[in-house]
């Protein structure tokens, strides 16, 4: 290879599959965790207006505000991940820089969603 930058870019290209795999695993874990959380919130009863345990905690706005933004973000990131995977699999040389940019942007977005 002609330059240090060209060698670096050649090595970095080999890491794209790893970035996609890490993002896929994070999305899979997020979907499983959210499914458990939403199901639990929908079935776990708490004391309601009648003084009996007859109200699901998901009906409370505080619980909705905790879960629904994460659910929406996971849904949106999953759509983005599907697009990146499709572009990577059907890659043509003219689209290579776009694929690299998409991979480099998506992985930190997905991983950063679940940091506390």
């Amino acid at each position: 290879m002609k330059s240090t930058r060209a060698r670096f870019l050649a090595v970095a290209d080999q890491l794209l599959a790893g970035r996609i795999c890490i993002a896929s695993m994070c999305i899979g874990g997020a979907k499983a965790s959210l499914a458990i959380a939403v199901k639990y919130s929908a079935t776990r009863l708490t004391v309601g207006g009648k003084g009996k345990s007859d109200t699901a905690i998901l009906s409370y706005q505080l619980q909705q505000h905790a879960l629904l933004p994460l659910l929406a973000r996971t849904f949106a990131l999953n759509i983005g991940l599907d697009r990146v995977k499709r572009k990577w699999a059907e890659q043509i040389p003219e689209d290579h820089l776009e694929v690299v940019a998409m991979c480099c942007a998506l992985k930190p977005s997905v991983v950063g969603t679940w940091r506390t």
Side-chain angles (χ1 to χ4, degrees):
M1 300 218 169
K2 294 180 180 180
S3 68
T4 304
R5 179 160 173 76
R7 282 195 306 269
F8 171 77
L9 291 175
V11 171
D13 283 349
Q14 296 172 357
L15 301 175
L16 291 181
R19 290 178 185 271
I20 293 171
C21 287
I22 290 169
S24 294
M25 289 185 288
C26 286
I27 290 287
K31 290 191 306 190
S33 299
L34 282 168
I36 292 167
V38 169
K39 183 176 180 179
Y40 178 79
S41 295
T43 58
R44 173 71 164 92
L45 299 178
T46 187
V47 177
K50 298 177 184 175
K52 297 183 179 181
S53 294
D54 60 354
T55 305
I57 59 174
L58 189 58
S59 65
Y60 289 102
Q61 202 172 41
L62 182 65
Q63 188 71 4
Q64 293 170 3
H65 284 203
L67 289 178
L68 295 181
L70 294 174
L71 189 62
R73 184 166 173 90
T74 301
F75 185 75
L77 288 171
N78 190 58
I79 292 170
L81 178 63
D82 287 345
R83 183 166 188 259
V84 169
K85 287 191 291 189
R86 190 171 44 255
K87 284 286 244 185
W88 186 76
E90 300 168 355
Q91 194 174 160
I92 57 174
E94 293 82 24
D95 290 343
H96 183 69
L97 289 178
E98 180 185 2
V99 172
V100 170
M102 288 169 57
C103 287
C104 291
L106 186 71
K107 187 238 175 189
S109 297
V110 170
V111 173
T113 297
W114 297 102
R115 289 190 182 165
T116 54

